[in-house]
Amino acid sequence: MKNNELVTINENTGFLQLADFNLDEAMASELDGLDMTFERIKIPSAGSTVFEVPGENPGEPDTVKEFSAVILYHHPLYAYYKDKYTGGSNPPDCGSFDGITGEGDPGGSCAKCPYNQFGSGENGSKACKNRRRIYVLREGEIFPLILSLPTGSLKEFSRYIKRLLSKGKKSNSVVTRFSLKKATNSSGITYSQAQFAVDRDLTADEYALISKLSEQVKAFSTRVGHDTEPAGEEVINVDPESGEITEPLK
């Protein structure tokens, strides 16, 4: 590898190119004083079944029906705005990166917060928006991307993680295939719902490298604020009693 290269990319070697890559060093040497965050994979609204993924040219994302990547790390992301969030870098009035303790106004226990109860928001939802932030790495790349799962995709993600755990696997030990399906709420409004499936298991060598990067991403994640989240939230209906997303019978 040349001295002026971060790492030599070879898309045919899986994730083994990570052997020559250190996220902490790359961030310190190349992004010192710059916006130290990650590019995002976007889930569209209105029931579209294609993702927007970063392309070769900034500002011109590619659209794909599915993609495969390793889940490096994931965590809850709660955000409560007294006034409706319209985008930008405005931090929430209260937010949480662990789904346990909120920081701000009102702050405190998320479980006991009245704004984190079903029925406190529109259509029976929560006034505090519960999302899941996922850091993923695609083959042939060395920098992680962020995928933010909205409320309507959380149940499917939870089911997927439980299926992996039932087989003794962690989410960063497999390559996951991500896709979208069109879902419809009880009011007839469509929204995009993420789907997950195992593409392949990582090799032992790949997993050792991915595990190291996962720890680096986990440590760095506390420095990524709420401003990378989309302004909109898909319109869904939620049963205030059960918290279930209500959809019409097919």
Side-chain angles (χ1 to χ4, degrees), residues 156-193:
E156 286 299 317
F157 184 68
S158 179
R159 287 174 176 168
Y160 177 63
I161 296 300
K162 289 177 181 177
R163 290 199 303 270
L164 289 177
L165 292 176
S166 70
K167 298 180 181 298
K169 299 178 181 180
K170 295 182 178 180
S171 57
N172 69 343
S173 69
V174 301
V175 177
T176 296
R177 184 170 65 254
F178 297 79
S179 60
L180 292 170
K181 79 170 186 178
K182 181 183 294 186
T184 308
N185 70 10
S186 58
S187 299
I189 298 175
T190 59
Y191 61 96
S192 305
Q193 187 180 72

Short mmCIF file of all heavy atoms in Angstrom, two decimals, residues 156-193:
data_model
loop_
_atom_site.label_atom_id
_atom_site.label_comp_id
_atom_site.label_asym_id
_atom_site.label_seq_id
_atom_site.Cartn_x
_atom_site.Cartn_y
_atom_site.Cartn_z
N GLU A 156 -39.98 -5.04 12.35
CA GLU A 156 -39.31 -5.97 11.45
C GLU A 156 -37.83 -6.12 11.83
O GLU A 156 -37.27 -7.22 11.77
CB GLU A 156 -39.43 -5.49 10.00
CG GLU A 156 -40.80 -5.68 9.39
CD GLU A 156 -41.23 -7.13 9.35
OE1 GLU A 156 -40.39 -7.99 8.99
OE2 GLU A 156 -42.40 -7.42 9.68
N PHE A 157 -37.21 -5.01 12.23
CA PHE A 157 -35.80 -5.08 12.63
C PHE A 157 -35.65 -5.91 13.90
O PHE A 157 -34.73 -6.73 14.02
CB PHE A 157 -35.25 -3.68 12.84
CG PHE A 157 -33.77 -3.65 13.16
CD1 PHE A 157 -32.84 -4.02 12.20
CD2 PHE A 157 -33.32 -3.27 14.41
CE1 PHE A 157 -31.47 -4.01 12.49
CE2 PHE A 157 -31.97 -3.26 14.71
CZ PHE A 157 -31.04 -3.62 13.75
N SER A 158 -36.55 -5.70 14.85
CA SER A 158 -36.51 -6.47 16.09
C SER A 158 -36.66 -7.97 15.82
O SER A 158 -35.95 -8.80 16.40
CB SER A 158 -37.62 -5.99 17.04
OG SER A 158 -37.62 -6.74 18.23
N ARG A 159 -37.57 -8.32 14.92
CA ARG A 159 -37.76 -9.73 14.56
C ARG A 159 -36.49 -10.31 13.94
O ARG A 159 -36.12 -11.44 14.23
CB ARG A 159 -38.92 -9.85 13.57
CG ARG A 159 -40.31 -9.65 14.18
CD ARG A 159 -41.36 -9.64 13.10
NE ARG A 159 -42.70 -9.54 13.65
CZ ARG A 159 -43.79 -9.28 12.93
NH1 ARG A 159 -43.67 -9.10 11.61
NH2 ARG A 159 -44.97 -9.21 13.50
N TYR A 160 -35.85 -9.53 13.10
CA TYR A 160 -34.63 -10.00 12.43
C TYR A 160 -33.52 -10.25 13.44
O TYR A 160 -32.84 -11.29 13.40
CB TYR A 160 -34.19 -8.97 11.40
CG TYR A 160 -32.90 -9.32 10.69
CD1 TYR A 160 -32.80 -10.46 9.90
CD2 TYR A 160 -31.77 -8.50 10.82
CE1 TYR A 160 -31.62 -10.78 9.25
CE2 TYR A 160 -30.59 -8.81 10.17
CZ TYR A 160 -30.52 -9.96 9.39
OH TYR A 160 -29.34 -10.27 8.76
N ILE A 161 -33.31 -9.31 14.36
CA ILE A 161 -32.27 -9.47 15.37
C ILE A 161 -32.55 -10.69 16.24
O ILE A 161 -31.64 -11.46 16.58
CB ILE A 161 -32.16 -8.20 16.24
CG1 ILE A 161 -31.71 -7.01 15.39
CG2 ILE A 161 -31.19 -8.42 17.40
CD1 ILE A 161 -30.36 -7.18 14.74
N LYS A 162 -33.81 -10.91 16.59
CA LYS A 162 -34.17 -12.07 17.40
C LYS A 162 -33.91 -13.37 16.65
O LYS A 162 -33.47 -14.37 17.24
CB LYS A 162 -35.64 -11.99 17.82
CG LYS A 162 -35.93 -10.90 18.85
CD LYS A 162 -37.41 -10.82 19.17
CE LYS A 162 -37.69 -9.71 20.17
NZ LYS A 162 -39.15 -9.57 20.44
N ARG A 163 -34.17 -13.37 15.33
CA ARG A 163 -33.90 -14.57 14.53
C ARG A 163 -32.40 -14.88 14.53
O ARG A 163 -31.99 -16.05 14.62
CB ARG A 163 -34.41 -14.39 13.10
CG ARG A 163 -35.91 -14.39 12.96
CD ARG A 163 -36.34 -14.67 11.52
NE ARG A 163 -35.78 -13.74 10.56
CZ ARG A 163 -36.35 -12.60 10.19
NH1 ARG A 163 -37.51 -12.24 10.73
NH2 ARG A 163 -35.78 -11.81 9.30
N LEU A 164 -31.58 -13.84 14.41
CA LEU A 164 -30.13 -14.05 14.44
C LEU A 164 -29.69 -14.60 15.79
O LEU A 164 -28.91 -15.56 15.86
CB LEU A 164 -29.41 -12.73 14.16
CG LEU A 164 -29.48 -12.17 12.74
CD1 LEU A 164 -28.75 -10.83 12.67
CD2 LEU A 164 -28.87 -13.14 11.73
N LEU A 165 -30.20 -13.99 16.86
CA LEU A 165 -29.81 -14.43 18.20
C LEU A 165 -30.23 -15.87 18.47
O LEU A 165 -29.52 -16.62 19.15
CB LEU A 165 -30.41 -13.50 19.25
CG LEU A 165 -29.87 -12.06 19.27
CD1 LEU A 165 -30.63 -11.22 20.28
CD2 LEU A 165 -28.37 -12.06 19.60
N SER A 166 -31.38 -16.26 17.92
CA SER A 166 -31.86 -17.63 18.13
C SER A 166 -30.94 -18.66 17.47
O SER A 166 -30.95 -19.84 17.84
CB SER A 166 -33.28 -17.79 17.58
OG SER A 166 -33.29 -17.73 16.16
N LYS A 167 -30.14 -18.20 16.50
CA LYS A 167 -29.18 -19.08 15.83
C LYS A 167 -27.76 -18.85 16.34
O LYS A 167 -26.78 -19.34 15.76
CB LYS A 167 -29.23 -18.85 14.32
CG LYS A 167 -30.58 -19.19 13.70
CD LYS A 167 -30.58 -18.95 12.20
CE LYS A 167 -31.93 -19.25 11.58
NZ LYS A 167 -32.32 -20.68 11.75
N GLY A 168 -27.65 -18.09 17.44
CA GLY A 168 -26.34 -17.84 18.04
C GLY A 168 -25.48 -16.88 17.26
O GLY A 168 -24.24 -16.92 17.37
N LYS A 169 -26.10 -15.99 16.48
CA LYS A 169 -25.34 -15.05 15.65
C LYS A 169 -25.58 -13.62 16.10
O LYS A 169 -26.67 -13.28 16.56
CB LYS A 169 -25.74 -15.19 14.18
CG LYS A 169 -25.48 -16.56 13.58
CD LYS A 169 -25.95 -16.64 12.14
CE LYS A 169 -25.69 -18.03 11.56
NZ LYS A 169 -26.15 -18.12 10.14
N LYS A 170 -24.56 -12.79 15.96
CA LYS A 170 -24.68 -11.36 16.21
C LYS A 170 -24.93 -10.64 14.89
O LYS A 170 -24.60 -11.15 13.82
CB LYS A 170 -23.42 -10.82 16.88
CG LYS A 170 -23.15 -11.37 18.27
CD LYS A 170 -21.90 -10.74 18.85
CE LYS A 170 -21.63 -11.25 20.26
NZ LYS A 170 -20.40 -10.63 20.84
N SER A 171 -25.48 -9.44 14.99
CA SER A 171 -25.80 -8.71 13.76
C SER A 171 -24.56 -8.32 12.97
O SER A 171 -24.64 -8.11 11.75
CB SER A 171 -26.62 -7.45 14.09
OG SER A 171 -25.92 -6.61 14.99
N ASN A 172 -23.39 -8.24 13.63
CA ASN A 172 -22.17 -7.90 12.90
C ASN A 172 -21.37 -9.13 12.47
O ASN A 172 -20.22 -9.02 12.05
CB ASN A 172 -21.28 -6.96 13.72
CG ASN A 172 -20.66 -7.63 14.93
OD1 ASN A 172 -21.11 -8.69 15.37
ND2 ASN A 172 -19.63 -7.01 15.49
N SER A 173 -21.99 -10.31 12.57
CA SER A 173 -21.32 -11.54 12.13
C SER A 173 -21.83 -12.03 10.79
O SER A 173 -21.37 -13.05 10.28
CB SER A 173 -21.48 -12.65 13.18
OG SER A 173 -22.83 -13.10 13.24
N VAL A 174 -22.80 -11.31 10.22
CA VAL A 174 -23.38 -11.70 8.93
C VAL A 174 -23.47 -10.47 8.02
O VAL A 174 -23.45 -9.33 8.49
CB VAL A 174 -24.79 -12.31 9.09
CG1 VAL A 174 -24.75 -13.54 9.97
CG2 VAL A 174 -25.77 -11.28 9.65
N VAL A 175 -23.58 -10.74 6.74
CA VAL A 175 -23.91 -9.69 5.78
C VAL A 175 -25.43 -9.69 5.64
O VAL A 175 -26.04 -10.72 5.35
CB VAL A 175 -23.26 -9.95 4.41
CG1 VAL A 175 -23.68 -8.86 3.41
CG2 VAL A 175 -21.74 -9.98 4.53
N THR A 176 -26.04 -8.55 5.89
CA THR A 176 -27.50 -8.43 5.85
C THR A 176 -27.95 -7.82 4.53
O THR A 176 -27.34 -6.87 4.04
CB THR A 176 -28.00 -7.54 7.01
OG1 THR A 176 -27.68 -8.17 8.26
CG2 THR A 176 -29.50 -7.32 6.94
N ARG A 177 -29.01 -8.38 3.97
CA ARG A 177 -29.60 -7.82 2.76
C ARG A 177 -30.80 -6.94 3.16
O ARG A 177 -31.72 -7.40 3.82
CB ARG A 177 -30.05 -8.92 1.80
CG ARG A 177 -30.59 -8.39 0.47
CD ARG A 177 -30.80 -9.50 -0.54
NE ARG A 177 -31.83 -10.44 -0.13
CZ ARG A 177 -31.61 -11.66 0.33
NH1 ARG A 177 -30.37 -12.10 0.45
NH2 ARG A 177 -32.61 -12.45 0.67
N PHE A 178 -30.75 -5.68 2.76
CA PHE A 178 -31.78 -4.71 3.09
C PHE A 178 -32.67 -4.46 1.87
O PHE A 178 -32.16 -4.29 0.76
CB PHE A 178 -31.16 -3.37 3.51
CG PHE A 178 -30.32 -3.42 4.76
CD1 PHE A 178 -29.02 -3.91 4.71
CD2 PHE A 178 -30.82 -2.96 5.97
CE1 PHE A 178 -28.24 -3.96 5.86
CE2 PHE A 178 -30.05 -2.99 7.11
CZ PHE A 178 -28.75 -3.49 7.06
N SER A 179 -33.97 -4.43 2.08
CA SER A 179 -34.90 -4.11 1.00
C SER A 179 -36.09 -3.35 1.61
O SER A 179 -36.16 -3.16 2.82
CB SER A 179 -35.38 -5.38 0.29
OG SER A 179 -36.04 -6.25 1.21
N LEU A 180 -37.00 -2.91 0.76
CA LEU A 180 -38.17 -2.15 1.20
C LEU A 180 -39.44 -2.76 0.63
O LEU A 180 -39.43 -3.32 -0.47
CB LEU A 180 -38.08 -0.69 0.75
CG LEU A 180 -36.99 0.18 1.37
CD1 LEU A 180 -36.89 1.51 0.61
CD2 LEU A 180 -37.26 0.43 2.84
N LYS A 181 -40.51 -2.67 1.39
CA LYS A 181 -41.81 -3.04 0.86
C LYS A 181 -42.80 -1.92 1.15
O LYS A 181 -42.60 -1.12 2.08
CB LYS A 181 -42.31 -4.36 1.46
CG LYS A 181 -42.91 -4.24 2.85
CD LYS A 181 -43.61 -5.53 3.26
CE LYS A 181 -44.33 -5.39 4.60
NZ LYS A 181 -45.06 -6.62 4.97
N LYS A 182 -43.83 -1.84 0.34
CA LYS A 182 -44.85 -0.82 0.52
C LYS A 182 -45.88 -1.33 1.53
O LYS A 182 -46.43 -2.42 1.39
CB LYS A 182 -45.53 -0.50 -0.80
CG LYS A 182 -46.61 0.59 -0.70
CD LYS A 182 -47.30 0.82 -2.03
CE LYS A 182 -46.34 1.40 -3.05
NZ LYS A 182 -47.06 1.77 -4.32
N ALA A 183 -46.10 -0.55 2.59
CA ALA A 183 -47.10 -0.89 3.60
C ALA A 183 -48.18 0.18 3.59
O ALA A 183 -47.95 1.31 3.14
CB ALA A 183 -46.45 -0.99 4.98
N THR A 184 -49.35 -0.16 4.10
CA THR A 184 -50.48 0.76 4.11
C THR A 184 -51.10 0.80 5.50
O THR A 184 -51.35 -0.24 6.10
CB THR A 184 -51.55 0.32 3.09
OG1 THR A 184 -50.94 0.13 1.82
CG2 THR A 184 -52.65 1.36 2.98
N ASN A 185 -51.35 2.00 6.01
CA ASN A 185 -51.97 2.09 7.33
C ASN A 185 -53.48 2.03 7.21
O ASN A 185 -54.04 1.92 6.12
CB ASN A 185 -51.50 3.35 8.07
CG ASN A 185 -52.05 4.64 7.46
OD1 ASN A 185 -52.92 4.63 6.60
ND2 ASN A 185 -51.54 5.76 7.92
N SER A 186 -54.15 2.10 8.36
CA SER A 186 -55.60 1.92 8.37
C SER A 186 -56.36 3.06 7.70
O SER A 186 -57.54 2.95 7.42
CB SER A 186 -56.10 1.76 9.81
OG SER A 186 -55.73 2.89 10.59
N SER A 187 -55.65 4.17 7.45
CA SER A 187 -56.27 5.30 6.75
C SER A 187 -56.01 5.25 5.25
O SER A 187 -56.41 6.15 4.52
CB SER A 187 -55.75 6.62 7.31
OG SER A 187 -56.06 6.75 8.69
N GLY A 188 -55.32 4.19 4.81
CA GLY A 188 -55.04 4.04 3.39
C GLY A 188 -53.80 4.77 2.92
O GLY A 188 -53.54 4.86 1.72
N ILE A 189 -53.01 5.29 3.87
CA ILE A 189 -51.78 6.01 3.51
C ILE A 189 -50.63 5.01 3.44
O ILE A 189 -50.44 4.20 4.34
CB ILE A 189 -51.47 7.10 4.55
CG1 ILE A 189 -52.61 8.13 4.57
CG2 ILE A 189 -50.14 7.78 4.24
CD1 ILE A 189 -52.45 9.19 5.65
N THR A 190 -49.86 5.07 2.35
CA THR A 190 -48.75 4.13 2.17
C THR A 190 -47.46 4.70 2.74
O THR A 190 -47.26 5.91 2.78
CB THR A 190 -48.54 3.82 0.68
OG1 THR A 190 -48.28 5.03 -0.03
CG2 THR A 190 -49.77 3.14 0.09
N TYR A 191 -46.60 3.79 3.20
CA TYR A 191 -45.28 4.19 3.69
C TYR A 191 -44.30 3.06 3.39
O TYR A 191 -44.70 1.94 3.05
CB TYR A 191 -45.31 4.51 5.19
CG TYR A 191 -45.72 3.37 6.09
CD1 TYR A 191 -44.76 2.57 6.71
CD2 TYR A 191 -47.06 3.10 6.35
CE1 TYR A 191 -45.12 1.52 7.54
CE2 TYR A 191 -47.43 2.06 7.19
CZ TYR A 191 -46.46 1.28 7.78
OH TYR A 191 -46.83 0.24 8.61
N SER A 192 -43.02 3.36 3.49
CA SER A 192 -41.97 2.39 3.16
C SER A 192 -41.53 1.66 4.43
O SER A 192 -41.21 2.30 5.43
CB SER A 192 -40.77 3.11 2.54
OG SER A 192 -41.16 3.86 1.41
N GLN A 193 -41.49 0.34 4.37
CA GLN A 193 -41.11 -0.47 5.52
C GLN A 193 -39.89 -1.32 5.16
O GLN A 193 -39.88 -2.03 4.16
CB GLN A 193 -42.27 -1.38 5.93
CG GLN A 193 -42.02 -2.15 7.22
CD GLN A 193 -43.21 -3.03 7.57
OE1 GLN A 193 -43.46 -4.04 6.91
NE2 GLN A 193 -43.96 -2.64 8.60
#
